[in-house]
Amino acid sequence: MTILEDIKAKLKQFAKERDWEQFHSPKNLSMALSVEVAELVEHFQWLKETDSFRHERATQLAIAEEIADIQMYLILLADQLDIDIATSVNDKIEKNKDRFPIESVKGRAKK
Amino acid sequence: MTILEDIKAKLKQFAKERDWEQFHSPKNLSMALSVEVAELVEHFQWLKETDSFRHERATQLAIAEEIADIQMYLILLADQLDIDIATSVNDKIEKNKDRFPIESVKGRAKK
Amino acid sequence: MTILEDIKAKLKQFAKERDWEQFHSPKNLSMALSVEVAELVEHFQWLKETDSFRHERATQLAIAEEIADIQMYLILLADQLDIDIATSVNDKIEKNKDRFPIESVKGRAKK
Amino acid sequence: MTILEDIKAKLKQFAKERDWEQFHSPKNLSMALSVEVAELVEHFQWLKETDSFRHERATQLAIAEEIADIQMYLILLADQLDIDIATSVNDKIEKNKDRFPIESVKGRAKK
């Protein structure tokens, strides 16, 4: 069992025990994802880019929690849609290699 | 090496080869995350909850790509901040068990 | 002076008095907008569509504040970019009339 | 009739003619808002703050359209919730004056 499968099993049990599966439609989970991402963005919104790397301990822990929340909702959403995250990521990396050939993007502004 | 570590290694090499590390500040990556999540939300915005589970093949593939994009930016962001995703998730699951005791939330509206 | 111009003048003075103009780059304001929208989404994420119209008084007031926050950041952002919101909206409405002719969209799923 | 009321009237007619009112629950409109804001964020995600003020003509027009989309969905959402935007904004500005007294925030990092 991989890390992602292990986390998925824990999250599904957690939701089942609380009778929360009824709330976890893909539509709702996509909304929850957007909310958690914004809670992450909030930490960086007024910072200069160069100040966004290192944080006071309390902020660092809060950021780690937001990242955890995003990962958890992403796993629950993918599960509801029967999508395997690891496979999808590896497929997308291969696709991106074709889409962004090194020689054509290196040294240019990212779009 | 876990799945998340394997993906991280691939993504870092991909960015390095294209000289894209300069764009990957936490501030910028959090923005990219919010953009990818919105591309996911777009698939569900006008659907009824019950219609958000199953999709035509082309839509299903597009959704899988958005999930991949979110996972990739999340891994790059966590890496820039020296945050271990798996550890953070497991810590958050434990915290949530205390925060949402089964007996106090079961049968109530999720907030 | 229109309502939007009146609000803009108040917001610019508010920011100037607090020396906050330095934080109000379009990049940062777009992040702030996304954060405020997510705070709005949070109120609706677990609700059924039919339950998202009417709210308890405290929630209604909180939602009104989020809508105000979004409007305020939108005005500040448009100002920084020298974009006139009313003109842009009227242009977009005309464009949408061409893009979505009544006879071709009526009775179909919105995309 | 103020600008916001004029736009609201046009948008309601536009939706009614297309039988789109059925899709415009507050839940759905909040999702649409988040999608439009992300399309705005996308223009700024890889730019330095100082490069986010001025844009090529095509980009400037695209940004103006996103701002229009956000304004339109915000007006439709407020209408569905019986919230008056101008009143809410003026209330929030007064509240913010108390929350952020000039002497206590001037010269400090915005949070």
Side-chain angles (χ1 to χ4, degrees):
Chain A
M1 187 153 71
T2 70
I3 279 184
L4 292 173
E5 288 165 345
D6 173 61
I7 295 172
K8 177 163 79 174
K10 287 179 187 167
L11 293 175
K12 291 179 76 165
Q13 194 197 336
F14 186 93
K16 186 173 186 172
E17 288 170 348
R18 282 154 188 80
D19 204 13
W20 279 357
E21 293 150 319
Q22 61 184 310
F23 300 108
H24 289 178
S25 66
K27 183 180 179 97
N28 287 3
L29 289 170
S30 76
M31 296 175 83
L33 252 183
S34 75
V35 170
E36 297 303 334
V37 168
E39 292 180 1
L40 187 69
V41 170
E42 196 173 4
H43 290 288
F44 305 122
Q45 63 187 342
W46 306 121
L47 296 184
K48 296 193 179 311
E49 272 187 72
T50 48
D51 292 335
S52 70
F53 288 85
R54 295 293 163 257
H55 304 275
E56 290 179 13
R57 184 163 169 76
T59 305
Q60 175 77 0
L61 288 174
I63 290 172
E65 276 202 39
E66 301 305 346
I67 287 177
D69 287 332
I70 296 167
Q71 183 65 70
M72 291 190 289
Y73 280 125
L74 191 65
I75 289 171
L76 282 171
L77 176 64
D79 179 59
Q80 289 285 33
L81 294 160
D82 281 330
I83 287 171
D84 184 78
I85 294 178
T87 303
S88 299
V89 167
N90 281 311
D91 288 353
K92 191 64 192 281
I93 291 175
E94 292 308 310
K95 190 172 174 176
N96 280 348
K97 284 181 186 169
D98 291 337
R99 201 173 151 209
F100 303 108
I102 295 173
E103 59 276 15
S104 71
V105 298
K106 195 166 181 175
R108 302 195 186 183
K110 189 169 180 180
K111 301 230 177 178
Chain B
M1 190 155 68
T2 72
I3 281 185
L4 292 174
E5 288 164 346
D6 174 60
I7 295 172
K8 177 164 78 173
K10 287 179 186 167
L11 294 175
K12 290 180 77 165
Q13 193 197 336
F14 187 93
K16 186 174 185 172
E17 288 170 349
R18 283 154 187 81
D19 204 11
W20 278 358
E21 293 150 319
Q22 60 183 310
F23 300 108
H24 289 179
S25 65
K27 181 179 179 98
N28 286 3
L29 289 169
S30 76
M31 296 175 83
L33 252 183
S34 76
V35 170
E36 297 304 334
V37 168
E39 292 180 1
L40 186 71
V41 170
E42 197 173 4
H43 289 288
F44 305 122
Q45 63 187 340
W46 307 123
L47 296 183
K48 295 193 180 312
E49 271 187 72
T50 49
D51 293 334
S52 70
F53 288 85
R54 295 292 162 260
H55 305 276
E56 292 179 13
R57 182 162 171 73
T59 304
Q60 175 77 1
L61 287 173
I63 290 171
E65 276 201 39
E66 300 307 345
I67 287 176
D69 287 334
I70 296 165
Q71 182 66 70
M72 291 191 290
Y73 280 124
L74 191 65
I75 289 171
L76 283 172
L77 176 63
D79 178 58
Q80 289 285 31
L81 294 161
D82 282 329
I83 287 171
D84 184 78
I85 294 179
T87 303
S88 299
V89 168
N90 281 311
D91 288 352
K92 190 66 192 277
I93 291 175
E94 291 310 308
K95 189 171 174 177
N96 280 346
K97 283 182 188 169
D98 291 336
R99 200 173 150 208
F100 303 109
I102 295 174
E103 59 276 16
S104 71
V105 298
K106 196 168 183 175
R108 304 196 184 182
K110 188 169 179 180
K111 301 237 174 172
Chain C
M1 186 153 72
T2 71
I3 280 186
L4 292 174
E5 288 164 347
D6 174 60
I7 295 172
K8 179 164 76 174
K10 287 179 187 166
L11 294 175
K12 288 179 77 164
Q13 193 196 338
F14 187 92
K16 186 174 183 171
E17 288 169 349
R18 282 154 187 80
D19 203 13
W20 278 358
E21 294 150 318
Q22 60 183 312
F23 300 109
H24 289 179
S25 65
K27 183 181 178 95
N28 287 3
L29 289 170
S30 76
M31 296 175 83
L33 253 182
S34 75
V35 169
E36 298 303 335
V37 168
E39 292 179 2
L40 186 70
V41 170
E42 197 173 3
H43 289 289
F44 305 123
Q45 63 186 342
W46 307 122
L47 296 183
K48 295 192 180 310
E49 272 186 72
T50 49
D51 293 335
S52 70
F53 289 84
R54 295 292 163 258
H55 304 275
E56 291 178 13
R57 182 161 171 76
T59 305
Q60 176 78 359
L61 288 174
I63 290 171
E65 277 202 37
E66 301 305 346
I67 287 176
D69 287 333
I70 296 166
Q71 183 66 70
M72 293 192 286
Y73 280 125
L74 192 65
I75 289 170
L76 283 172
L77 177 63
D79 178 59
Q80 289 286 31
L81 293 161
D82 282 329
I83 287 170
D84 184 79
I85 293 178
T87 303
S88 299
V89 167
N90 281 312
D91 289 351
K92 191 65 192 279
I93 290 175
E94 291 310 308
K95 189 170 175 178
N96 280 347
K97 284 181 186 167
D98 291 336
R99 200 172 151 208
F100 303 109
I102 295 173
E103 59 277 15
S104 72
V105 299
K106 196 167 180 172
R108 302 195 184 182
K110 188 168 180 181
K111 299 235 174 173
Chain D
M1 187 155 68
T2 70
I3 280 185
L4 292 174
E5 288 163 348
D6 174 61
I7 295 172
K8 178 163 80 173
K10 288 178 186 167
L11 293 175
K12 290 180 78 164
Q13 192 195 337
F14 187 93
K16 186 173 184 170
E17 288 170 349
R18 282 155 190 79
D19 204 11
W20 279 358
E21 292 149 320
Q22 61 184 308
F23 300 109
H24 289 179
S25 65
K27 181 180 179 97
N28 288 3
L29 289 170
S30 76
M31 296 175 84
L33 252 183
S34 75
V35 170
E36 297 303 335
V37 168
E39 292 180 2
L40 186 71
V41 170
E42 197 173 3
H43 289 288
F44 304 121
Q45 63 188 340
W46 307 122
L47 296 183
K48 295 193 179 310
E49 271 186 73
T50 49
D51 293 334
S52 71
F53 288 84
R54 295 294 163 257
H55 304 276
E56 292 179 13
R57 183 162 170 74
T59 305
Q60 176 77 359
L61 288 173
I63 289 171
E65 278 202 36
E66 301 306 345
I67 286 176
D69 287 334
I70 295 166
Q71 183 65 71
M72 293 192 289
Y73 280 125
L74 191 66
I75 288 170
L76 284 171
L77 177 64
D79 178 59
Q80 289 285 31
L81 293 161
D82 282 329
I83 287 171
D84 184 77
I85 294 179
T87 303
S88 299
V89 167
N90 281 312
D91 288 352
K92 190 64 192 277
I93 290 174
E94 291 309 310
K95 190 170 175 178
N96 281 346
K97 284 180 188 170
D98 291 336
R99 202 172 149 208
F100 303 108
I102 295 174
E103 58 277 15
S104 72
V105 299
K106 196 166 181 175
R108 304 197 185 181
K110 189 169 178 179
K111 300 237 174 170

